[in-house]
Amino acid sequence: MRAYVVDTGRLIAPFDEPPGDALFAQTTMGASVRDAFVRRGIEIVDVKIDDVVAAYDAKEPCIVVCDHTFVSDKALGDFLDKALDVVSGAPAGAACARLALAKTASADFTRPVSSVHTEPFDERGPGARPSIKKRNRFTSEELEAKERVAYDCFLVKDVPAGVRAREWLEALRKDAVRVVVEKRELGIPLRLPVLGDGKETRALVPITSTIAAHVEHWVHILWLNQLAFGMRWMEIARTEKLWGFGRALAAFPWTSTSRFMRAYVKKGRNVRIHPTAHVEASILGDNVVVGARASVRNCILGDGVEIGDHAAVLSCTIGADAYVTPRTFVVWGAAYPKAVITNYKLQVSLVGRGASLSTWAGMVDAKLQGTVSVQHDGKIVDTERSFIGSCIGHGAFVGGKVLIMPGRAIPNGAFIAMRPDELIYEV
């Protein structure tokens, strides 16, 4: 089987990089999707959006996926299983299937600010909602979903002769049979602060290994990395049952949740954790260092990451060779490789490669009323979130006492200082 990966020419601001280079867990979005193809023995062919697609004479169907489309390994495998039945029985030239998911919490999590197509379910067939006959396999949210979300991932029976990738994609989006991949997901309520009335609110954070998204803005990179931890743990539970069983034995007796979660730490080689540090339910790469009295929970740390003394890193993805300085507090954010995070309190924000933040840089991450908007393709677009920070470009530096409002994107290489006689960027 062959997979055509279409280069759409899109670059993600402020990084000026294609979607495939975006950070995801301990790798990149593009590498994660390509690894899923390689594991299935699928040949990968790169095609630019305005190129004529080469003919494909094999007897097997082929996959067409845009470079901005992220598809998890589980989502891809389940889609192929269902779509092959749809495509194989149809006449040549008339069969094509498109990946769709029920519009539940996981699909809705990354939907804002993207080009995914929300549409009603079909009455029957592969485009219908998950069957109520399989209630034991699905949550009530999946069974009660009113709409589905369609992604730019297709399975086609043959390749039209002399077609350009752009026209081919337009035809596939219009004509492809929707195939709804059934999934099971858990929803974990997360407490979020609300400014103004003093009340608490809760966001539903989905945990599933069946994930698809269009990566077209920096917010999608942040949101997918927030989902990455749950996805990776479900993949580990599915593929490394012996390791999971050994960790369960190590946690015995199961007298507390904290004891159980401390046992479930996936470590790479040469990991050094100070005896006074607290690390639980996390995935650590090679040569990770966690300092004295530091706290790491529900995180993915890349190779060579160093967490300073007394730092707290909660529910984050931290790229390789990044450094979190002592007494820093970081929660529900993501940082590219070689970033330096020195902030007193950094929440729900994305930090670029080699970027750094001063201790007293102010990153406002909540809105008093309404939701946060971001700039996207020259327009102001609603994120449908009231709790989101900002994005710091590659190699940028944000100095002390600089205040950055929610939803801003700091350009690559920017140097921002508080004093008016220094170089100032207005974002």
Side-chain angles (χ1 to χ4, degrees):
M1 185 179 287
R2 174 179 290 183
Y4 291 94
V5 179
V6 181
D7 179 358
T8 60
R10 175 177 286 279
L11 299 177
I12 305 295
F15 302 127
D16 292 329
E17 291 179 340
D21 291 345
L23 172 74
F24 181 72
Q26 294 166 315
T27 179
T28 63
M29 304 283 183
S32 180
V33 174
R34 287 171 180 265
D35 286 347
F37 290 144
V38 170
R39 278 192 288 272
R40 291 168 174 81
I42 298 173
E43 175 192 4
I44 300 173
V45 177
D46 293 300
V47 180
K48 293 189 179 298
I49 189 70
D50 291 316
D51 284 353
V52 174
V53 182
Y56 181 52
D57 299 326
K59 296 180 180 179
E60 293 181 302
C62 65
I63 301 167
V64 181
V65 61
C66 289
D67 65 343
H68 63 240
T69 304
F70 174 83
V71 185
S72 68
D73 182 83
K74 184 70 163 57
L76 177 65
D78 290 349
F79 170 64
L80 293 179
D81 289 343
K82 294 191 69 174
L84 282 170
D85 293 335
V86 174
V87 170
S88 59
C96 51
R98 186 177 187 181
L99 169 65
L101 299 175
K103 188 175 177 291
T104 58
S106 60
D108 228 19
F109 199 84
T110 58
R111 175 193 50 78
V113 201
S114 78
S115 62
V116 294
H117 190 203
T118 301
E119 56 197 18
F121 287 108
D122 296 337
E123 290 297 326
R124 60 184 62 85
R129 74 178 64 185
S131 173
I132 198 167
K133 296 178 181 179
K134 302 176 181 178
R135 181 179 294 275
N136 62 321
R137 291 177 54 193
F138 307 107
T139 62
S140 59
E141 186 180 28
E142 291 178 81
L143 297 172
E144 295 170 2
K146 298 295 189 294
E147 295 176 304
R148 67 190 180 203
V149 182
Y151 302 90
D152 285 344
C153 179
F154 308 90
L155 186 70
V156 300
K157 191 161 188 176
D158 55 6
V159 180
V163 67
R164 290 189 181 277
R166 186 184 300 276
E167 287 75 24
W168 193 23
L169 279 172
E170 290 175 357
L172 290 174
R173 289 167 180 153
K174 178 182 177 182
D175 301 331
V177 174
R178 275 40 171 179
V179 174
V180 176
V181 173
E182 298 168 337
K183 63 186 188 298
R184 182 168 186 144
E185 64 185 52
L186 302 174
I188 306 298
L190 177 70
R191 289 184 179 180
L192 301 178
V194 174
L195 302 179
D197 61 5
K199 295 181 180 179
E200 289 183 342
T201 187
R202 291 175 183 264
L204 189 67
V205 181
I207 297 179
T208 177
S209 57
T210 304
I211 295 175
H214 284 184
V215 184
E216 299 166 317
H217 193 274
W218 66 261
V219 295
H220 302 133
I221 302 173
L222 174 64
W223 293 338
L224 276 170
N225 278 286
Q226 289 171 348
L227 295 179
F229 176 76
M231 190 195 82
R232 287 288 295 118
W233 269 122
M234 294 190 77
E235 288 178 344
I236 290 170
R238 189 175 70 249
T239 60
E240 301 185 32
K241 293 183 175 62
L242 188 60
W243 178 86
F245 180 71
R247 292 291 83 205
L249 290 178
F252 186 83
W254 306 308
T255 54
S256 70
T257 302
S258 179
R259 177 185 176 89
F260 192 79
M261 299 306 286
R262 283 198 299 269
Y264 275 83
V265 177
K266 181 78 172 172
K267 299 178 185 177
R269 295 170 296 180
N270 194 33
V271 171
R272 291 178 291 160
I273 300 175
H274 194 276
T276 61
H278 186 93
V279 180
E280 65 178 39
S282 294
I283 302 170
L284 313 183
D286 297 339
N287 302 307
V288 167
V289 177
V290 180
R293 303 283 181 186
S295 180
V296 177
R297 293 188 179 97
N298 306 337
C299 291
I300 299 177
L301 306 185
D303 295 345
V305 168
E306 183 174 351
I307 308 298
D309 297 349
H310 299 271
V313 185
L314 314 176
S315 302
C316 291
T317 295
I318 307 295
D321 298 315
Y323 178 41
V324 178
T325 61
R327 299 185 184 278
T328 296
F329 179 84
V330 193
V331 60
W332 220 27
Y336 275 73
K338 298 184 183 300
V340 179
I341 303 175
T342 320
N343 204 259
Y344 169 70
K345 185 179 182 182
L346 183 67
Q347 298 185 134
V348 203
S349 295
L350 179 63
V351 181
R353 186 180 303 106
S356 55
L357 299 164
S358 171
T359 302
W360 289 105
M363 304 283 286
V364 181
D365 49 45
K367 197 168 183 181
L368 281 170
Q369 293 181 336
T371 53
V372 177
S373 296
V374 295
Q375 189 173 44
H376 181 51
D377 291 342
K379 300 178 182 178
I380 301 300
V381 182
D382 186 9
T383 65
E384 303 178 26
R385 303 281 215 284
S386 59
F387 192 61
I388 189 171
S390 294
C391 176
I392 310 301
H394 297 324
F397 172 77
V398 180
K401 297 188 179 180
V402 171
L403 186 66
I404 299 177
M405 300 305 289
R408 273 40 172 194
I410 305 302
N412 288 343
F415 182 95
I416 306 182
M418 65 158 287
R419 289 170 52 185
D421 57 338
E422 302 217 35
L423 182 62
I424 303 295
Y425 270 78
E426 181 177 330
V427 180

